[in-house]
Amino acid sequence: MLPLLETEVTFELILQQIANGVAKGSVYALIAVGYTLVYGVLQLINFAHGEVYMLGAYFSYYPAKWLGYVPETGEKPKVPLYLIGLLFLAAMTACALLGMLIERLAYRPLRNSSRLAALITAIGVSLLLQNGGQMAFGADPKGYPLFMEQEAVQLGPVALANTKIVIIVVAAVMMAGLHLFVQKTKPGAAMRACSFDMRTARLMGVNVDRTIALTFAIGSVMAAVGGVLVAMDQPRLTPLMGLLMGLKAFIAAVLGGIGSIPGAALGGLLLGVAESVVGTWSTTYAEAVAFIVLILVLLIKPSGLLGKAGREKV
Amino acid sequence: MGRMVLVLMVSLAVLFGVNWFLAEYIDDYVIRVINLCGISIVLAVSLNVINGLCGQFSLGHAGFMAIGAYVSAYFTTTLRYFDEAEAKYVAIEPMFSTEWGFVPALIMGGFAAAAAGIVVGIPTLRLKGDYLAIATLGFGEIVTIMVTNFETIGGANGLPGLPAYSNTFWIYSFVILVIMFSYYLQRSTFGRALIAIRENELAAEVMGVNAARLKVMAFIYGAFFAGIAGGLLGHLQQTISPVTFNFMKSIEVVVMLVLGGLGSMTGAIVGAIILTALPEALRDVESSIGLPGVRMVAYSLVLILLMIFRPQGIFGQRELSLKLLRRLLPNRKGGE
């Protein structure tokens, strides 16, 4: 029944797939932190997070288009480095604002109602952004400005596209920066306090509303970076690109242990590698890997790999 | 019980007449919308037992539908596929080749979905709230991915050529069945126990309710009718594909429940009708103002606003129609 590939599966091929999986997993990790941070603080699955990732890609696409980097026909000009930085910044800022706006308008009015109501609202926001995106951008796939010519780089036994290397490096830097921010700075401490016990944090003088807004902003910034990176690697934007990505990133967060940032990184990488390796045999079954992983994790160790065990959260 | 059978017989006779009348005098498109409303009612009322009564938030209804649709199609439809080993096209003749086979095929689909309900229900017993939601969603996605990989039943391209057996008579027969069953179920010990689990699982257990067993039974019940609805939809559209049953379909059914009021069967029915008929009605509005897609945007906005301003939905957990009925018939003592 398995639709096997024609090529023989060798050890080198598996290694190659693992390398690709690391790049894929880095993106999962970037998006997964958004889920993990928000869930840690609000116990809410922010279903709209995948759409923030999608919008991150679009928010960097349109400025580049206005500047003439996505011509209708002919060869795409290469985007200069300073402009790439500006496009990243544009996407990050716009998504941070969007994240805070979603929190303010949709989730804050529901902070004291049932978790079910919040969950359904989150699904609603996700649908709204998808359908709004389809109206605003059109359902047809869009190209993306050229950040760099894709070429394979030989790294020992594996060859990895240079764009994928950029993804891994940028994601690693972002994740490390986030970890430092949460562990070493005062707003980071406030975030940890809120996730530990929101009421006590408020009593200790933490501005809870502002901290929650900050949490959404940071998660959205990470998702925006993920969106731009993926668009650079696979220049094909659609308003529905965030749907599956968001689900899988959430699963990565559950796998790593929801509420834990290193967990999100680990879960993302493991999921990316698992998908790629299964993809060696069957690309369609690779799509099922994430969901099977999810169900297994929930059954065997619902707190995830690096999550705090003990507390009945499930 | 005797009364139940009587009501059933009378309503089937009425339905038979209605079906004939519709087919004779009413526009095909309108009939189609009426039929789709019926299928939505079966879905919403059955999901209401899992999500509304038992309080187990499931997002996997589309998965059960898919199983029901494909299994019933297996019994009624000629399967044509390319056999790799033999290098030729093969056709498998259906087991039930006449219209008499339709109901048995639907019921087989329902049983298959119910079996899947056990498979999903037992392992996810430990999960609650959003974790359960996401796990059942995962189950639904796994079902569609499995279907995509089965070339025998059409794979990703879908399975064409289902006979057009679904009509208003059959669809609304099952609507009446699911409503009657669910009505009696809500008033039975079983239904009360489900509500007890929803309100406080620990307290219910202390009172002697076997929560684990009942939760699985709620899943079996909901899945059975979801499977039937899937079969009905398949034989209405005559083509089924994995995309039809992706998790947006599950979310659609949940939204119907939430709009009507989670836990209210009347709410489920009203929600199902509104959310099936309204998008069809808005289709014309949409094309006349020249903004394609605005319908879906409005749909999601309504969902968010509903949660913020009226999270209990239209009916809350009440069954408004019964109260109305009692008010209209003041002389009847004791109701049931």
Side-chain angles (χ1 to χ4, degrees), chain A residues 197-261:
Chain A
D197 186 335
M198 203 190 287
R199 253 189 75 212
T200 314
R202 182 178 278 132
L203 292 174
M204 296 295 136
V206 175
N207 186 337
V208 170
D209 281 342
R210 200 192 294 159
T211 307
I212 291 175
L214 179 72
T215 308
F216 272 84
I218 290 177
S220 305
V221 164
M222 304 294 276
V225 172
V228 178
L229 287 175
V230 168
M232 169 194 79
D233 184 43
Q234 298 150 13
R236 196 186 139 83
L237 312 189
T238 68
L240 297 182
M241 65 191 265
L243 190 64
L244 212 53
M245 186 59 112
L247 275 178
K248 287 183 182 171
F250 173 73
I251 292 168
V254 173
L255 172 62
I258 204 130
S260 151
I261 294 172

Side-chain angles (χ1 to χ4, degrees), chain A residues 115-116 121 127 284 298-299, chain B residues 57 123 126 130-131 149 248:
Chain A
R115 279 172 62 180
L116 193 59
T121 312
L127 288 178
T284 36
L298 290 180
L299 293 179
Chain B
F57 197 77
R126 292 170 48 189
D130 21 17
Y131 273 100
N149 277 297
M248 281 308 300

Side-chain angles (χ1 to χ4, degrees), chain A residues 54-89:
Chain A
M54 173 272 288
L55 287 168
Y58 276 98
F59 286 149
S60 57
Y61 165 81
Y62 278 102
K65 195 181 173 178
W66 290 326
L67 292 172
Y69 285 99
V70 193
E72 295 290 330
T73 51
E75 209 162 289
K76 278 186 205 162
K78 233 175 113 182
V79 186
L81 198 60
Y82 75 93
L83 199 60
I84 293 179
L86 284 178
L87 289 178
F88 264 103
L89 266 182

Side-chain angles (χ1 to χ4, degrees), chain A:
Chain A
M1 196 181 72
L2 281 172
L4 289 173
L5 288 182
E6 296 299 313
T7 48
E8 197 188 339
V9 175
T10 56
F11 182 64
E12 281 75 29
L13 184 59
I14 299 277
L15 271 185
Q16 181 65 48
Q17 288 297 80
I18 290 176
N20 288 333
V22 170
K24 202 176 186 181
S26 310
V27 179
Y28 289 155
L30 276 178
I31 304 166
V33 284
Y35 283 104
T36 247
L37 290 173
V38 168
Y39 197 92
V41 176
L42 289 181
Q43 278 82 53
L44 165 77
I45 300 176
N46 180 14
F47 262 100
H49 195 59
E51 275 58 53
V52 174
Y53 150 86
M54 173 272 288
L55 287 168
Y58 276 98
F59 286 149
S60 57
Y61 165 81
Y62 278 102
K65 195 181 173 178
W66 290 326
L67 292 172
Y69 285 99
V70 193
E72 295 290 330
T73 51
E75 209 162 289
K76 278 186 205 162
K78 233 175 113 182
V79 186
L81 198 60
Y82 75 93
L83 199 60
I84 293 179
L86 284 178
L87 289 178
F88 264 103
L89 266 182
M92 286 155 79
T93 322
C95 283
L97 290 175
L98 177 77
M100 290 194 282
L101 195 71
I102 293 172
E103 191 272 327
R104 182 74 193 80
L105 295 180
Y107 300 148
R108 196 176 296 181
L110 286 163
R111 200 164 302 155
N112 295 319
S113 50
S114 74
R115 279 172 62 180
L116 193 59
L119 180 70
I120 296 169
T121 312
I123 294 174
V125 175
S126 164
L127 288 178
L128 180 67
L129 294 178
Q130 273 168 35
N131 294 314
Q134 266 176 337
M135 259 182 85
F137 314 132
D140 53 313
K142 299 259 191 293
Y144 199 73
L146 185 66
F147 283 9
M148 56 202 300
E149 298 286 351
Q150 286 208 12
E151 53 190 52
V153 179
Q154 197 71 32
L155 293 170
V158 297
L160 207 53
N162 52 359
T163 45
K164 293 215 184 329
I165 295 174
V166 171
I167 289 181
I168 296 171
V169 172
V170 173
V173 170
M174 293 293 293
M175 296 294 289
L178 178 71
H179 188 70
L180 285 179
F181 176 81
V182 171
Q183 294 299 329
K184 302 286 178 201
T185 66
K186 225 170 164 185
M191 277 165 69
R192 279 182 290 138
C194 281
S195 126
F196 199 74
D197 186 335
M198 203 190 287
R199 253 189 75 212
T200 314
R202 182 178 278 132
L203 292 174
M204 296 295 136
V206 175
N207 186 337
V208 170
D209 281 342
R210 200 192 294 159
T211 307
I212 291 175
L214 179 72
T215 308
F216 272 84
I218 290 177
S220 305
V221 164
M222 304 294 276
V225 172
V228 178
L229 287 175
V230 168
M232 169 194 79
D233 184 43
Q234 298 150 13
R236 196 186 139 83
L237 312 189
T238 68
L240 297 182
M241 65 191 265
L243 190 64
L244 212 53
M245 186 59 112
L247 275 178
K248 287 183 182 171
F250 173 73
I251 292 168
V254 173
L255 172 62
I258 204 130
S260 151
I261 294 172
L266 181 66
L269 288 178
L270 283 179
L271 188 63
V273 169
E275 271 191 347
S276 280
V277 170
V278 174
T280 323
W281 284 277
S282 158
T283 44
T284 36
Y285 277 112
E287 293 297 304
V289 167
F291 297 105
I292 291 167
V293 165
L294 170 77
I295 290 175
L296 289 181
V297 173
L298 290 180
L299 293 179
I300 298 165
K301 197 169 185 302
S303 54
L305 296 174
L306 303 182
K308 285 167 288 183
R311 230 172 48 203
E312 175 80 334
K313 266 195 167 178
V314 183

Side-chain angles (χ1 to χ4, degrees), chain B residues 222-299:
Chain B
F224 178 79
F225 279 104
I228 299 253
L232 288 169
L233 183 68
H235 291 83
L236 184 70
Q237 294 185 333
Q238 294 179 260
T239 303
I240 45 180
S241 76
V243 192
T244 321
F245 305 108
N246 65 8
F247 76 87
M248 281 308 300
K249 188 78 195 170
S250 301
I251 289 178
E252 243 173 63
V253 186
V254 169
V255 175
M256 289 170 191
L257 283 192
V258 170
L259 175 69
L262 204 57
S264 155
M265 194 172 71
T266 333
I269 298 169
V270 172
I273 295 175
I274 294 178
L275 285 180
T276 313
L278 200 63
E280 294 296 330
L282 287 179
R283 212 183 278 274
D284 294 333
V285 178
E286 194 177 85
S287 51
S288 66
I289 57 173
L291 274 177
V294 77
R295 181 165 61 104
M296 288 307 293
V297 173
Y299 176 87

